[in-house]
Amino acid sequence: LLPGDPGRCEHIASFLDDSELVAHNREFVTYTGTLCGERVSVCSTGIGGPSAECTLTDLAARGTHTFIRVGTTGAIQEGIRIGDIIINDSNVRLDGTSHLYVRDEYPAAASYEVVLALVQACENLGLRYHVGTGCTCASFYTGQCRTSYGGYRPSHLDADFADLRQAGVLNFEMEGATVTTLSRIFGKRAGMCASVVAQRITGEWDETAEGEYNACLAGAEAVRILTEWDRKKAEQGKRYYDALKSVSNLVRSAR
């Protein structure tokens, strides 16, 4: 589980059994414990792609096979409320890091199993959620079409903002594309969910920590769900989880 904020790690670690602090250096804080009998770690990535790259590559080298970013985000579409969860199944790659690994046409796509698990987690927890494409930026201000210090605002920002909205992009955040692109290159499983703390259309900001709490909860529940699915796959000798077959079985049992 990959929160950006180091301060979020202890809270997420409370969802694990027997969690303990194993590392704390700069913006990187790591707790490790177990969930449903599987070893799970929580490690902060700090802000932005370069910092997330450090965390992800180090954890991948230590055998981590699944990464879920849990964080915060700003919505740029109507109908998305403060505190809602956004599950990005893909991201526009403006993260400033992933293009150093692979050409820009390569997709920042989340693993379908992680997306499904996050959707199921939100359903289980009764959380409002949205699924779709986000935009990962290398900048908090102009990269997310905000005015910077001294009123500095490049003339293209208004057009960029309008174009992204017209293309159906749901939100701005700063780590998702790095996590999913590098994970796909490394042959790992990854996805992300984030709580809406800013509604860019209405100008609203989250004044509570409830949204962050829900994103952390959804991430932990998704890990539990993925663990269950992985065990079912192992029992059946399969590589991929067949959600449609599972739904068909449920329908048959109901009948």
Side-chain angles (χ1 to χ4, degrees):
L1 290 166
L2 303 176
D5 182 1
R8 211 175 293 147
C9 290
E10 184 176 3
H11 174 66
I12 303 175
S14 70
F15 301 144
L16 308 180
D17 297 321
D18 306 316
S19 63
E20 59 176 336
L21 178 67
V22 295
H24 187 177
N25 181 43
R26 296 189 178 184
E27 67 265 48
F28 308 114
V29 175
T30 305
Y31 285 83
T32 296
T34 59
L35 188 62
C36 298
E38 295 294 328
R39 191 169 176 81
V40 177
S41 289
V42 179
C43 185
S44 55
T45 64
I47 297 176
S51 184
E53 175 208 25
C54 290
T55 305
L56 192 138
T57 52
D58 193 44
L59 291 172
R62 283 163 170 73
T64 305
H65 57 72
T66 302
F67 298 93
I68 302 180
R69 160 163 154 67
V70 289
T72 56
T73 190
I76 64 171
Q77 297 289 348
E78 290 93 347
I80 302 177
R81 303 176 192 168
I82 295 292
D84 285 1
I85 302 296
I86 292 180
I87 300 167
N88 288 136
D89 57 8
S90 55
N91 286 87
V92 179
R93 289 173 51 205
L94 301 181
D95 57 307
T97 298
S98 63
H99 75 276
L100 299 174
Y101 276 76
V102 66
R103 59 187 294 162
D104 291 345
E105 292 83 358
Y106 189 91
S111 305
Y112 86 97
E113 286 185 344
V114 180
V115 173
L116 283 176
L118 286 166
V119 167
Q120 187 60 58
C122 289
E123 288 284 347
N124 291 353
L125 297 167
L127 302 176
R128 274 179 53 94
Y129 65 94
H130 311 265
V131 182
T133 301
C135 180
T136 304
C137 304
S139 155
F140 183 80
Y141 289 99
T142 58
Q144 298 184 43
C145 302
R146 291 187 175 101
T147 301
S148 190
Y149 174 74
Y152 182 76
R153 183 178 182 83
S155 59
H156 61 83
L157 295 190
D158 291 334
D160 291 347
F161 191 77
D163 288 347
L164 287 169
R165 293 193 64 234
Q166 185 172 324
V169 172
L170 300 181
N171 58 302
F172 284 126
E173 53 85 52
M174 298 184 70
E175 292 84 30
T178 304
V179 171
T180 55
T181 302
L182 269 59
S183 291
R184 189 160 291 247
I185 291 171
F186 297 161
K188 308 298 181 180
R189 188 168 60 176
M192 65 158 287
C193 69
S195 168
V196 175
V197 295
Q199 195 359 308
R200 298 288 301 278
I201 306 302
T202 64
E204 296 173 89
W205 281 84
D206 188 9
E207 301 296 337
T208 72
E210 183 179 355
E212 285 190 49
Y213 173 84
N214 287 338
C216 296
L217 200 58
E221 175 67 0
V223 169
R224 185 195 67 76
I225 292 167
L226 285 166
T227 299
E228 180 182 316
W229 291 351
D230 287 347
R231 288 172 179 168
K232 287 180 180 178
K233 288 187 297 183
E235 289 170 3
Q236 297 171 11
K238 293 185 174 182
R239 288 186 62 192
Y240 302 107
Y241 180 67
D242 184 353
L244 289 177
K245 183 177 179 181
S246 299
V247 170
S248 297
N249 290 338
L250 284 173
V251 171
R252 280 196 295 270
S253 341
R255 288 174 180 167

